[in-house]
Amino acid sequence: MFHGVTVSIGDSVHPSQVANIEGVKAVWPNRVFSLQYQNETTTGSGEYLHQATRVHQAHTELGLNGTGIKIGIIDTGVDYTHPDLGACWKTPNCPWQYGGSYASDSLSPNDPPMDCMGHGTHVSGIIASRGDRVKGVAPQATLGMYRVFTCSSESADTNDANVIAAMEAAFQDGHDIISMSLGSETAWEEDPVAVLASKFVDAGVVMVVANGNSGASGLLTASTPAVGRNVISVGSVDNWNITSAHAIFTTHTGQQSVLFLPSAAPAPPFIIANNTLVVAPTDNTGSALACTNITNDLSGKVALIQRGECTFSEKALNAQNAGAVAVVIYNNMDGMVDMAFDSNILIPGAFISMGDGRMVEESIRSGRTL
């Protein structure tokens, strides 16, 4: 579908000179993109999400589970040894019958696309997990994984040429749907990756592509190949108007009203007695993130902890074990998120913004009583 080559040119050669060679239709840069590691994990209820998105209805009422559908995934790879994802690779009755490794660190496209980042495994679970606890949208689909990101100690890299090669392979394998949870901020359908995605759609393939994470930066921040013609461009939209409760924190500057989102059930409601002391504890490594045992005695106190590095439940459990009556977790970036705890968390929790959290923490660490 895409006829092209990758060439390297020196500084003395301008791309326009290459474009003027007879038979050359267009010249594009082979851009390199990086994906940063994200160590934080979260927990959630797949059953609830399937109810909210009507996936449960598709499974139970319409009998749709992916049978007879081939889905190709272009991503960081997949942990195909995971029991919920088949624990197999291209064996009889295995869901993974297609794919390979198209990253720059691969010796051959036939190399199994083992995931070293986690992103592709996450995407695969959403699409086709077949475990007892977590069911994907299409658990009986036949799958292909095409790894395009390299494995390194700090980040994973790919480029346009690798992505195009993986797309071509997925198309040649005959997938009905191709999923690409990746892209670059080029809001033009003439981009080569978008051009190829558009051609696939014209040939009858359903292209489902992430629209990027830069919408807050304004116009023309949609990513390619999501901008391709008739491509299904998928993005998440946050409601800027949050309706919730307020907690009153008494700081050295007076009373401050802080918006909070209570932790979801089964945690108890966030109801705290007046004049309860709020503290910012540290764990036994000296970190304020409270990802290991907390050294402070939190008996009768509310623990204020920053989001990051470990799950909400791990932070809450460490606070609970130290005697806290509640935990308040504040964001490590702009915005608010819903928070849920595991069933072993018996204390209430609340989530607040980064700005409010820093305000309260500054008052605590300056030695002023709250």
Side-chain angles (χ1 to χ4, degrees), residues 183-188 210-215 218-224 226-227 233:
S184 63
E185 295 177 10
T186 303
W188 309 108
N211 198 27
N213 301 315
S214 302
L219 297 175
L220 302 180
T221 55
S223 66
T224 183
V227 294
S233 176

Side-chain angles (χ1 to χ4, degrees), residues 1 31 34 70 116 184 197 249 256-257 259 322 345 359 362:
M1 297 289 281
R31 299 160 301 181
S34 297
K70 294 168 62 175
C116 61
S184 63
F249 287 81
Q256 305 290 335
S257 179
L259 174 75
I345 306 302
M359 177 269 296
E362 189 278 330

Side-chain angles (χ1 to χ4, degrees), residues 27-45:
V27 174
W28 293 284
N30 186 24
R31 299 160 301 181
V32 176
F33 311 103
S34 297
L35 178 65
Q36 299 299 317
Y37 281 99
Q38 297 183 10
N39 295 323
E40 181 177 333
T41 60
T42 58
T43 59
S45 170

Side-chain angles (χ1 to χ4, degrees), residues 229-284:
R229 289 178 290 104
N230 297 318
V231 169
I232 297 177
S233 176
V234 181
S236 175
V237 178
D238 290 332
N239 184 357
W240 289 4
N241 299 309
I242 300 175
T243 302
S244 188
H246 285 75
I248 303 298
F249 287 81
T250 303
T251 71
H252 65 285
T253 59
Q255 290 191 334
Q256 305 290 335
S257 179
V258 174
L259 174 75
F260 75 88
L261 296 175
S263 55
F270 192 79
I271 301 174
I272 309 300
N274 290 337
N275 301 317
T276 301
L277 191 65
V278 181
V279 296
T282 56
D283 59 29
N284 57 16

Side-chain angles (χ1 to χ4, degrees), residues 139-162:
Q140 296 303 314
T142 301
L143 306 173
M145 172 58 74
Y146 304 81
R147 181 171 77 90
V148 294
F149 284 93
T150 60
C151 292
S152 68
S153 59
E154 296 182 358
S155 67
D157 301 322
T158 191
N159 57 54
D160 284 330
N162 291 345

